[in-house]
Amino acid sequence: MKLTLRVWRQKNADAEGAMATYEVDGISPDMSFLEMLDVLNEQLILSGEDPVAFDHDCREGICGACSLVINGEAHGPERTTTCQLHMRSFKDGDTIDIEPWRAAAFPVVKDLVVDRSAFDRIIQAGGYITAPTGSAPEAHATPVPKADADYAFEHAECIGCGACVAACPNGAAMLFTSAKINHLNVLPQGAPERETRVLNMVAQMDEEGFGGCTLTGECATACPKGIPLTSITNMNKEWLRATRKAAKR
Amino acid sequence: MVRTIWGSTVGKKTVMAVSGLIMLLYLVVHMLGNLKIFFGAGEFNHYAHWLRTIGEPFMHYEWTLWLVRVVLVLAVVAHAVSAYQLSRRDIKARPQKYVHSKPRASYATRTMRWGGVILGLFILWHLLDLTTGTVHTDFQPGRPYQNVVATFSTWYGNVIYIVAMLALGLHIRHGLWSAAQTLGVGSRARDRALKAAANVLALLLTAGFIAVPVGVMTGVVS
């Protein structure tokens, strides 16, 4: 396959960026999108140019490191992560636009790499359970109804890649935050911090400069892990419940 | 609690949802009342007069009406201020557009902001036209039937009204469903029913309101 790539190049956080055009040849349809970028970078290094910086780690679709908005869609045309997107989703001769996640809370570090530490700070605000560490507890000591376990797992699937923020026209982190809250709030282990968790995490999300939700549903469409839009509905419900409870004290 | 709600994006959306539902409830009553125009001038004008005497003798003349007006103004202001502040925040949160952009959200979703502005301007014109009569060409106090017929006998009266009602339908279509999500009553099982309810109500309200100018244009109401 022969492709034309238009890639966002930006030297550093303060530099002005622009789209640059490259040609790549000899791309196999079985290559992953990241392998295709590796080919481009080898080509750039051999010709003495600066390779394109992009985030990647496990390349198995489970770590949440890879990003990229491909032809205007977070993680490209398939509902998966960029590392699991294969070149067979494109045609020979295609022009592909590759841009970084765009959000005020995700500043560009270099080229296609953005700083997603705002997500870490949202987690630090309540995306955990306070429990004594040590040896693993006996699994049956805390019974969890099957439906709750399934619900928790569905939300625990969130890998924190930030595609929801990238796809949202408001740069909102509602889907990420709601996935993390719902995952823990439905479980008995998460119950003691049920209220403080939702209040603190939503407050931190606002603090980071993410936008609000206008229910366009773009986030859930882009999510490679299929976190549903109703996740946000449930976070709103939890938030209202916690606000009412806090007012009573 | 008030500070928590007003200071949070989730809380401010709650304000939008509740104020929106108040206005929606009013619109349903307003639309049903409007349909009385098809029963003639006597019944319509009598109904309009009754609106001023609701609650008598406990309430003084026009007190109930003014109470409703105050609640509505508060709802409109709360709705508009939250929308403005949230929109400012949303635009700031996404300062750079994608070179390759792909609008995928529905038309109703994408037109919420400008649709809201259009509706605000329409309400202003509507009040100056049929409540105060300021911009009405031939306003007769206490004779709303004649005033309505006069407004819808002009081309611009019809155009403004019908365009605004179409905008209203789109606004409610996305707004009612969104309010359910914001208030946390939506769920996967209920999603289809909620979407259908929002679409049906939007359609009924738009059709009900537009029936009046169409009635005047076709000569059914004169």
Side-chain angles (χ1 to χ4, degrees), chain A residues 1-147:
Chain A
M1 289 170 85
K2 195 176 168 182
L3 299 163
T4 305
L5 305 174
R6 299 204 301 159
V7 186
W8 181 263
R9 300 303 308 261
Q10 184 174 335
K11 260 197 158 43
N12 55 55
D14 305 316
E16 283 266 332
M19 297 296 271
T21 308
Y22 304 101
E23 304 277 337
V24 282
D25 204 352
I27 300 297
S28 151
D30 295 330
M31 279 181 180
S32 78
F33 200 85
L34 297 185
E35 284 167 336
M36 184 276 293
L37 286 179
D38 292 338
V39 171
L40 168 70
N41 275 348
E42 274 177 22
Q43 203 174 295
L44 289 174
I45 291 165
L46 286 174
S47 62
E49 283 180 69
D50 197 19
V52 177
F54 61 89
D55 268 324
H56 61 104
D57 192 15
C58 75
R59 298 204 179 197
E60 290 181 338
I62 52 168
C63 77
C66 61
S67 54
L68 308 186
V69 170
I70 301 158
N71 285 341
E73 290 181 274
H75 291 303
E78 310 286 336
R79 199 181 203 188
T80 184
T81 52
T82 298
C83 63
Q84 292 297 303
L85 173 69
H86 289 84
M87 295 316 292
R88 62 183 85 99
S89 300
F90 300 90
K91 288 195 304 289
D92 186 40
D94 272 359
T95 298
I96 306 173
D97 290 331
I98 310 167
E99 297 171 76
W101 283 175
R102 292 285 185 211
F106 284 169
V108 172
V109 176
K110 185 178 191 243
D111 297 337
L112 302 169
V113 177
V114 298
D115 180 359
R116 283 173 281 189
S117 47
F119 269 11
D120 298 338
R121 290 187 291 272
I122 293 177
I123 293 293
Q124 282 161 15
Y128 52 80
I129 59 163
T130 304
T133 51
S135 58
E138 155 57 33
H140 293 298
T142 317
V144 179
K146 175 78 166 80

Side-chain angles (χ1 to χ4, degrees), chain A residues 6 8 10 17 19 69-73 95 97 99-105 151 154-155 165-172 174 199 202 205-216 218 221-222 228-230 232-237 239-240 243-244 247, chain B residues 1-16 18 83 86-106 109-110 112-113 174-175 177-191 194-195:
Chain A
R6 299 204 301 159
W8 181 263
Q10 184 174 335
M19 297 296 271
V69 170
I70 301 158
N71 285 341
E73 290 181 274
T95 298
D97 290 331
E99 297 171 76
W101 283 175
R102 292 285 185 211
Y151 187 83
E154 187 183 11
H155 290 90
V165 177
C168 176
N170 311 323
M174 301 284 279
L199 291 177
V202 167
M205 174 187 85
D206 286 347
E207 177 81 8
E208 297 292 343
F210 290 107
C213 183
T214 49
L215 278 312
T216 65
E218 296 283 344
T221 309
L229 188 59
T230 45
I232 295 176
T233 311
N234 205 56
M235 174 175 75
N236 292 335
K237 192 174 167 185
W239 189 88
L240 289 170
T243 307
R244 273 200 309 273
Chain B
M1 185 167 164
V2 172
R3 195 180 295 170
T4 319
I5 289 176
W6 193 249
S8 160
T9 48
V10 175
K12 219 168 265 183
K13 277 289 290 209
T14 314
V15 174
M16 285 198 73
V18 172
L86 284 168
S87 296
R88 282 276 306 258
R89 188 193 169 89
D90 294 347
I91 292 161
K92 234 176 89 187
R94 171 55 89 70
Q96 192 154 7
K97 301 271 162 284
Y98 289 108
V99 174
H100 190 126
S101 65
K102 210 174 215 182
R104 264 187 321 215
S106 75
T109 313
R110 282 185 281 127
M112 285 308 272
R113 282 175 194 151
H174 182 68
W177 175 79
S178 292
Q181 310 308 315
T182 302
L183 296 174
V185 295
S187 71
R188 222 174 316 206
R190 251 181 258 155
D191 200 55
L194 276 171
K195 276 209 168 103

Side-chain angles (χ1 to χ4, degrees), chain A residues 137-150 152 184-192:
Chain A
E138 155 57 33
H140 293 298
T142 317
V144 179
K146 175 78 166 80
D148 290 353
D150 287 346
L184 295 175
N185 271 19
V186 73
L187 293 173
Q189 290 89 340

